[in-house]
Amino acid sequence: MDKKRVLISFIIWFFTGLVFGQEGVEAPSLEKGTGTPIQEKVEVPSTEVISEETLEWEIPYKQIVPKKLSRFGDNLFKMPISTFAPVPDVPVGPDYILGPGDELIIDVWGMIEGHYQITIDRDGGITLPKIGRIYLWGLTFKEAEKLIREKFSKYFTGFELSVTMGKLRTIKVFVLGEVKNPGGYELSSISTLFHALYLAGGPNSRGTMRNIQLIRDNKIIGTTDIYEFLLIGKKDQDYKLQSGDTIFVPLVGPLVGITGQIKRPAIYELKEEKTLLDLINLAGGVKVSAYGGRIQVERIEKYDKKIVFDLENVSELFEGKDEKNNIVLCDGDLVKVLSIDPRVYNKVYLEGFVKYPGEYELKPGMRLSDLITPEQILMETYLERAEIERIDHLTMEIKIISFCPKKLLEGDESQNLLLQQLDKIKFFTEWKEPEIVEIKGEVKLPGKYTIQKGERLSSVLKRAGGFTDEAFLKGAIFTRLSVKKAQEENINRFIKMQQEILLRETATLGTLPEAKISTKAELLRQQKELIALLASYVPLGRVAIKLDKIEKFEGSPYDIILENGDSLYIPKPPMTINVIGSVNNPGSILWSPNRTINYYIEKSGGLTKNADIGNIFVIKADGTAVRAFLKGFRTKVEVIEQGDTIIIPEKIKMPAWEVTKDIFTMIYQLGLPLSVILK
């Protein structure tokens, strides 16, 4: 039994130290600081992928080529249909050709009056009262108006006459060949070839855009090159249509692609254009960032293979002066106009605590004194040491070269170093960030406070106005970042040790008798659960302190020197006592003054059969742990105070690992609410 008690005592000590911190731990004093500025960490370029916008030396040069090029002109036929729909109520011009279905509106006033709204019939004429029949088919609107006026003049005098167009006739045309939606279309009589072509969806992937034919009476009366419209806005090939016309789209001609540093990258159909310069001009010319040292061409050799070849020194070709590189293109060629190196080399960087940080031009023979002048120095600039971060362009390693700005400004030439491209000159500061602690809970002025070097807790409590009447000083929770870090390291060491033991024990399973394998495997499983539980634990960094009224607390052993990041939480008096472990109904019991452990155990349903009454312990509100031996259930023991937690372990009738796991779980359940409070 002594060994069992030693084991439990060790576990209680270990875990209460992790959760609550050791009693009386005093934080390291700030009085030992040297005041020397800490050197900034040098950031080495990472090997991760960097965005293309970051044009720094460490990025490997990449030639960006779009994976997919679209055919030039395709977007024209992807716009809404209304974009190219003919307007039906637009005024017609004097050269509009009349035909069956057109409506004329004739108004007469003066010695005679009349209003006639007449449609030209299928024979091409109209009939007017007293005037008779007039044939208008094939006449222009101007000629028709003149003819109608002459007819009226034969029968009447002293009148005025107006002729306007009413509804326009519809015509039927056919759009055939390599279009997306071939067929017949009924259009307004003022429609043009583009209108019909647009309604048909435009040429498909096999259709030409540069040799579209308009056929009338079985004769080709005109051809249309859509590029003329797209590139220079000419519409003289947008022919007016007549009923019965056929628009025919033949197969596409030679196609070549151009991509990279070109103003209008796309796939182009060639017509009169034959050479590389023709294609560049068709694509709008090269960008200013185009590389004049090389152009690459991918070509398909007929019925054989795909090859690639480079054209070098093409800067004069871009200006139209190089006939040597102005090669004749073949169907299926892909031209890649490469980019210049996007990085800028003739510059250095000035960083840190100077008045004008940024990028500076690296001039020939430039030294530190050309860049570092008294005007650059700030009040807080650290003058004893600065650094040059330099790249060794052979090994691509970063070297740190230090110098003394103070000596440099005094004219010491040994500090006046010669600068190289992409050097980073870094200046530091003597300015120290203020150290801050936080006081929360039951103080009159809770919040964050800036502390001086060596300032103690009592001093900040005075600045916070002291405690409120509801402050529960015994339950104060003081946390420290350095203690939290130490707790994390302890847990990690313990986890690593247990993992090593687990690996060794697992390796011995095969050497055990078959009857013992299942027992050993269960033990290892429990050990694994404990490791997982430990890994999930988040330490608080709590330091156990004992607060009192400020006049008594000041100068006491617990009046510790504060560190940056310290936090003190003073709760209100808790009204319940936690009872955890081997009782029939573990939970929280309402606190009652002057009650013993027996009272709270009874309120929790009494002890279980396996309760180890010889190893009960109490965790006090300040985080310390106290053993409470029960010689008999009715025996009087110490009084339970506000904020106490009673833990009743089970008798050791199971493997030590399971006991450890259960006790850790109980203590962790106690610590978790505290971590929530501190968030």
Side-chain angles (χ1 to χ4, degrees):
M1 182 60 70
D2 290 339
K3 291 183 179 179
K4 295 176 182 178
R5 288 181 177 175
V6 170
L7 173 62
I8 292 176
S9 299
F10 170 77
I11 295 169
I12 292 170
W13 172 83
F14 179 75
F15 286 114
T16 52
L18 288 177
V19 178
F20 300 107
Q22 296 179 0
E23 182 176 357
V25 172
E26 182 168 322
S29 171
L30 295 177
E31 297 172 356
K32 297 180 181 180
T34 60
T36 304
I38 299 174
Q39 178 179 333
E40 291 185 359
K41 182 180 178 182
V42 178
E43 296 183 358
V44 180
S46 79
T47 56
E48 296 178 352
V49 177
I50 307 173
S51 64
E52 297 297 335
E53 288 81 7
T54 309
L55 304 180
E56 294 294 340
W57 62 269
E58 62 264 29
I59 306 173
Y61 173 69
K62 293 182 180 180
Q63 176 64 39
I64 306 301
V65 176
K67 293 182 178 180
K68 186 177 181 181
L69 286 176
S70 60
R71 184 179 171 191
F72 181 71
D74 270 355
N75 290 336
L76 176 67
F77 299 101
K78 293 179 180 178
M79 291 183 285
I81 293 177
S82 59
T83 306
F84 280 92
V87 182
D89 56 355
V90 66
V92 299
D95 57 346
Y96 174 73
I97 305 297
L98 296 176
D102 283 334
E103 182 183 63
L104 296 176
I105 300 173
I106 304 171
D107 288 298
V108 184
W109 67 94
M111 297 296 293
I112 60 169
E113 292 185 358
H115 175 77
Y116 309 97
Q117 192 167 346
I118 304 173
T119 301
I120 300 174
D121 58 29
R122 67 179 61 187
D123 292 329
I126 60 173
T127 302
L128 296 172
K130 296 185 180 181
I131 302 299
R133 191 161 180 80
I134 305 174
Y135 291 95
L136 302 176
W137 192 353
L139 298 180
T140 65
F141 177 71
K142 183 178 181 180
E143 293 170 342
E145 182 183 19
K146 182 180 179 182
L147 179 60
I148 293 171
R149 190 179 297 277
E150 289 175 354
K151 292 291 185 181
F152 269 86
S153 298
K154 287 182 180 181
Y155 298 97
F156 306 103
T157 59
F159 67 90
E160 295 293 332
L161 182 142
S162 170
V163 181
T164 58
M165 290 295 301
K167 295 180 180 179
L168 301 180
R169 71 183 186 275
T170 59
I171 61 175
K172 187 166 187 177
V173 299
F174 297 91
V175 185
L176 303 175
E178 300 299 331
V179 291
K180 293 176 182 176
N181 301 301
Y185 292 88
E186 289 190 355
L187 306 172
S188 167
S189 57
I190 60 173
S191 298
T192 65
L193 181 142
F194 280 0
H195 296 144
L197 194 62
Y198 196 86
L199 287 175
N204 59 28
S205 59
R206 301 180 301 274
T208 180
M209 288 191 181
R210 310 207 60 183
N211 188 31
I212 299 171
Q213 301 170 359
L214 176 60
I215 301 173
R216 184 176 297 158
D217 297 330
N218 296 321
K219 295 180 181 179
I220 299 175
I221 66 165
T223 58
T224 297
D225 185 351
I226 296 178
Y227 281 21
E228 293 282 332
F229 172 60
L230 294 176
L231 295 175
I232 58 178
K234 289 176 63 177
K235 287 191 67 178
D236 56 342
Q237 297 177 2
D238 187 17
Y239 302 103
K240 290 184 179 180
L241 298 177
Q242 296 183 16
S243 189
D245 282 355
T246 297
I247 300 167
F248 183 74
V249 180
L251 287 168
V252 69
L255 291 174
V256 295
I258 185 167
T259 186
Q261 299 303 306
I262 197 78
K263 292 181 180 177
R264 204 162 40 225
I267 298 171
Y268 290 89
E269 180 182 356
L270 301 183
K271 193 176 179 183
E272 289 87 4
E273 302 87 5
K274 303 293 183 184
T275 66
L276 177 57
L277 183 59
D278 292 336
L279 176 62
I280 292 173
N281 292 333
L282 195 62
V286 297
K287 295 180 180 179
V288 69
S289 55
Y291 177 50
R294 181 168 67 100
I295 279 182
Q296 189 172 90
V297 181
E298 288 185 9
R299 175 167 294 175
I300 300 172
E301 290 191 348
K302 285 187 177 181
Y303 318 119
D304 189 5
K305 59 186 176 182
K306 191 173 183 179
I307 63 170
V308 61
F309 59 90
D310 293 337
L311 304 174
E312 298 181 351
N313 301 319
V314 291
S315 55
E316 291 190 357
L317 174 67
F318 296 157
E319 299 174 358
K321 301 175 183 178
D322 185 358
E323 291 298 328
K324 177 183 175 183
N325 285 317
N326 192 21
I327 61 172
V328 176
L329 298 174
C330 297
D331 190 11
D333 281 356
L334 174 61
V335 178
K336 298 178 182 178
V337 181
L338 307 180
S339 171
I340 60 171
D341 186 346
R343 295 168 291 189
V344 179
Y345 293 95
N346 66 324
K347 65 179 179 180
V348 293
Y349 304 86
L350 185 59
E351 300 177 353
F353 290 86
V354 289
K355 192 175 292 185
Y356 305 109
E359 299 178 359
Y360 287 83
E361 177 192 358
L362 177 63
K363 299 176 181 179
M366 187 174 182
R367 293 182 175 272
L368 279 173
S369 59
D370 299 319
L371 194 60
I372 310 303
T373 61
E375 290 75 21
Q376 284 279 19
I377 303 304
L378 297 171
M379 179 179 64
E380 65 269 24
T381 303
Y382 183 57
L383 295 177
E384 297 300 324
R385 177 186 169 89
E387 295 176 354
I388 300 175
E389 185 180 296
R390 177 169 293 171
I391 306 157
D392 187 327
H393 295 286
L394 295 177
T395 64
M396 296 309 293
E397 294 179 349
I398 294 179
K399 296 181 178 179
I400 303 299
I401 304 170
S402 62
F403 66 94
C404 179
K406 183 178 180 180
K407 292 181 180 179
L408 174 67
L409 294 172
E410 291 173 351
D412 187 343
E413 284 301 316
S414 66
Q415 303 298 311
N416 193 17
L417 304 177
L418 185 68
L419 296 177
Q420 297 182 10
Q421 62 184 18
L422 302 177
D423 276 354
K424 293 182 180 179
I425 302 104
K426 296 187 175 183
F427 278 79
F428 308 111
T429 177
E430 292 185 352
W431 178 269
K432 296 179 178 63
E433 291 293 330
E435 295 187 346
I436 296 174
V437 298
E438 188 171 13
I439 309 295
K440 298 182 286 187
E442 296 304 315
V443 291
K444 293 179 180 178
L445 298 171
K448 293 183 178 180
Y449 289 85
T450 302
I451 59 172
Q452 298 179 354
K453 183 178 180 181
E455 188 169 1
R456 295 184 178 271
L457 180 56
S458 59
S459 172
V460 178
L461 287 172
K462 288 180 182 179
R463 291 161 61 190
F467 308 117
T468 67
D469 294 338
E470 294 185 338
F472 181 56
L473 301 183
K474 290 183 179 180
I477 301 170
F478 184 87
T479 59
R480 173 159 286 177
L481 296 179
S482 59
V483 175
K484 179 180 179 180
K485 184 178 179 181
Q487 290 175 349
E488 289 174 345
E489 291 174 354
N490 287 337
I491 291 175
N492 292 334
R493 266 197 309 269
F494 188 72
I495 289 174
K496 186 177 180 181
M497 179 182 68
Q498 302 310 321
Q499 286 173 336
E500 292 174 354
I501 295 173
L502 182 62
L503 288 173
R504 288 198 300 269
E505 294 294 326
T506 304
T508 62
L509 276 178
T511 63
L512 295 175
E514 188 174 347
K516 293 185 178 181
I517 289 179
S518 60
T519 304
K520 184 72 171 180
E522 176 62 20
L523 180 62
L524 295 176
R525 183 192 65 78
Q526 293 169 356
Q527 186 175 353
K528 199 171 184 180
E529 286 181 5
L530 174 63
I531 294 173
L533 191 61
L534 283 168
S536 66
Y537 171 66
V538 180
L540 305 177
R542 182 173 181 181
V543 177
I545 63 171
K546 293 182 179 180
L547 291 181
D548 205 338
K549 293 181 180 180
I550 293 180
E551 54 271 16
K552 293 183 179 181
F553 177 72
E554 187 175 6
S556 70
Y558 294 98
D559 188 13
I560 61 177
I561 295 175
L562 295 174
E563 290 182 1
N564 185 41
D566 283 351
S567 175
L568 176 65
Y569 172 74
I570 303 172
K572 292 182 179 180
M575 302 308 297
T576 59
I577 300 297
N578 293 318
V579 183
I580 300 174
S582 298
V583 290
N584 289 309
N585 186 25
S588 297
I589 307 298
L590 190 65
W591 177 75
S592 182
N594 302 317
R595 297 289 188 176
T596 64
I597 289 179
N598 295 346
Y599 170 79
Y600 294 101
I601 291 176
E602 287 178 354
K603 290 291 185 181
S604 301
L607 297 170
T608 64
K609 290 181 180 180
N610 294 326
D612 188 355
I613 62 174
N615 289 296
I616 295 176
F617 62 97
V618 177
I619 296 180
K620 308 299 287 182
D622 62 3
T624 58
V626 179
R627 295 290 297 274
F629 298 97
L630 284 181
K631 298 179 181 178
F633 184 72
R634 298 293 179 183
T635 303
K636 183 179 178 180
V637 294
E638 69 171 276
V639 172
I640 296 299
E641 300 176 332
Q642 281 181 286
D644 286 355
T645 296
I646 303 167
I647 298 179
I648 303 100
E650 289 190 9
K651 293 178 182 177
I652 299 180
K653 292 184 178 180
M654 59 188 80
W657 280 116
E658 191 163 336
V659 176
T660 307
K661 176 174 73 74
D662 291 344
I663 294 176
F664 178 83
T665 303
M666 291 187 292
I667 297 175
Y668 183 68
Q669 288 171 346
L670 175 66
L672 187 57
L674 298 179
S675 67
V676 174
I677 290 172
L678 292 176
K679 283 183 180 178

